[in-house]
Amino acid sequence: MKIQKSLANIMIVTALAGSFVTVANVITPTMQVVSADSSTTKALSKAYVVYGAGSSNQSQIASTLGVTDTYTKLTTTGADASYIGLSGIADSAMISSVALAPAEPGTGTLVNIKDFNGANNITKITSQQYAMAATMAGVQDVIITVTANQPVSGEAALAGVYKALDADGIQVDSQNTQAANSVMDATSGAIDANKDDSSYAGKLTSAVTTTSGQIAEKKQGGQNITINVIINQLNINLEKQGIDDQTTTAQTQKIATALKDVSDAPISSSAAYVKNAKNLGNKLKNSVGDIMAKAENFANSADAKKAANWFMENIWNPVVNWVKGIIG
């Protein structure tokens, strides 16, 4: 009789253990990189902070980025500018810094640009452009936070994103990153020309990202992708966002040319990318300002930790202690 009770107790504990595994899976960080094979994804194993070699006041930068002791520290040098297709860059020119934190599964890529001493020192790239470029490079489910201790373009931060992935053992295809960087650059002129419209950057990057996903879907369906196909699709999406009259023919042509590079890159053969581009496009269209991510988007958010702690304290530990008492 005692043996039957003990077996029953063990079965209860085993069932509870299965529940614990389920909870743990919910809160496990899953920053992923999508390859050309849509079935292949890799999760970022931990959070990173990447300081520009030319930056100063690193302790204040860390505080601005929300970095804790759990973040692995890296530095971008001039040589790392190759991640964004540049060469001959001095270490002192790498100034913007970036933190990467895993996001909840399905979050996509969200970017926050943080003021340093009350000033937004990222002068060229918007949060929406960072998110668009990172997604086109194959990144998903990550929250990127950027800052700089002096006015800079912010391109070094994107190099820092790719360096962190490399350090974690995740390889991002160079053709994908170069194509993504081209699109980011191509959108800058139109965004700058419409800087008085706070909603324009979000609407433009939404139209561009959505177009890229649609073109990838057409390509995977066997359609021949020409520059005219891209321009036509881009114009449709610009009109849907209500910014077709704010975007010149020259600007549209430049963006479409860069999107052709994305279409020719491995990322456009990924079924997962079609989904990711669509999801990000929907988020970008209403994105205004420098902050895209909120606390609940982080995989290591306070809510997630609270849920895990509650389970350990109220269910797991009491059951383990109870079983120990029975065995003893």
Side-chain angles (χ1 to χ4, degrees):
M1 191 69 172
K2 289 183 179 180
I3 293 175
Q4 290 178 340
K5 287 183 177 179
S6 296
L7 287 172
N9 291 335
I10 291 171
M11 290 174 67
I12 292 171
V13 173
T14 301
L16 288 170
S19 298
F20 175 71
V21 171
T22 300
V23 173
N25 286 338
V26 170
I27 63 173
T28 298
T30 57
M31 200 290 282
Q32 301 174 331
V33 172
V34 182
S35 72
D37 177 358
S38 61
S39 65
T40 304
T41 59
K42 293 183 180 180
L44 188 72
S45 66
K46 53 189 174 182
Y48 288 85
V49 57
V50 190
Y51 298 106
S55 65
S56 57
N57 301 322
Q58 285 192 2
S59 61
Q60 190 172 353
I61 289 174
S63 177
T64 301
L65 292 174
V67 170
T68 67
D69 292 339
T70 63
Y71 282 62
T72 296
K73 177 182 175 181
L74 301 172
T75 301
T76 50
T77 64
D80 294 317
S82 60
Y83 283 112
I84 54 175
L86 300 176
S87 60
I89 305 299
D91 289 355
S92 58
M94 304 295 283
I95 296 172
S96 54
S97 300
V98 61
L100 288 78
E104 291 289 356
T107 298
T109 303
L110 301 178
V111 180
N112 294 339
I113 296 176
K114 292 293 190 71
D115 289 354
F116 187 88
N117 280 342
N120 181 355
N121 288 327
I122 306 300
T123 63
K124 180 181 178 181
I125 305 172
T126 68
S127 291
Q128 295 77 20
Q129 283 176 290
Y130 277 122
M132 175 186 67
T135 300
M136 289 179 179
V139 179
Q140 69 181 64
D141 296 340
V142 61
I143 294 173
I144 300 170
T145 308
V146 181
T147 197
N149 61 289
Q150 65 187 72
V152 290
S153 68
E155 292 167 298
L158 191 57
V161 170
Y162 301 144
K163 181 164 187 172
L165 299 180
D166 259 352
D168 205 63
I170 299 173
Q171 293 185 350
V172 181
D173 187 276
S174 60
Q175 190 177 354
N176 289 340
T177 60
Q178 290 172 15
N181 299 339
S182 295
V183 176
M184 188 174 67
D185 288 341
T187 56
S188 291
I191 290 174
D192 187 59
N194 291 276
K195 58 186 176 183
D196 293 334
D197 181 353
S198 61
S199 67
Y200 183 83
K203 291 178 179 179
L204 178 66
T205 52
S206 173
V208 173
T209 304
T210 299
T211 299
S212 181
Q214 291 168 334
I215 293 301
E217 189 171 29
K218 291 177 186 292
K219 175 183 177 180
Q220 292 170 35
Q223 183 172 343
N224 180 37
I225 304 302
T226 65
I227 191 67
N228 286 334
V229 169
I230 296 173
I231 290 174
N232 290 338
Q233 191 65 56
L234 179 57
N235 280 329
I236 290 171
N237 290 317
L238 291 172
E239 185 176 359
K240 284 183 177 180
Q241 294 302 321
I243 57 171
D244 51 318
D245 60 343
Q246 294 176 250
T247 311
T248 68
T249 301
Q251 291 164 350
T252 301
Q253 177 73 42
K254 186 174 183 179
I255 294 169
T257 300
L259 282 174
K260 183 65 167 64
D261 292 339
V262 179
S263 176
D264 292 338
I267 191 69
S268 286
S269 297
S270 165
Y273 175 66
V274 173
K275 180 180 178 180
N276 294 338
K278 178 180 179 180
N279 289 343
L280 182 63
N282 286 333
K283 292 178 181 179
L284 286 170
K285 64 184 179 183
N286 297 317
S287 177
V288 177
D290 300 323
I291 305 298
M292 294 182 65
K294 299 178 181 179
E296 61 265 25
N297 297 130
F298 288 82
N300 60 342
S301 67
D303 288 342
K305 289 180 180 179
K306 184 178 179 180
N309 290 337
W310 181 90
F311 184 88
M312 291 295 293
E313 293 172 5
N314 294 281
I315 297 180
W316 183 251
N317 289 339
V319 170
V320 170
N321 291 334
W322 171 60
V323 173
K324 286 180 178 178
I326 293 173
I327 294 174

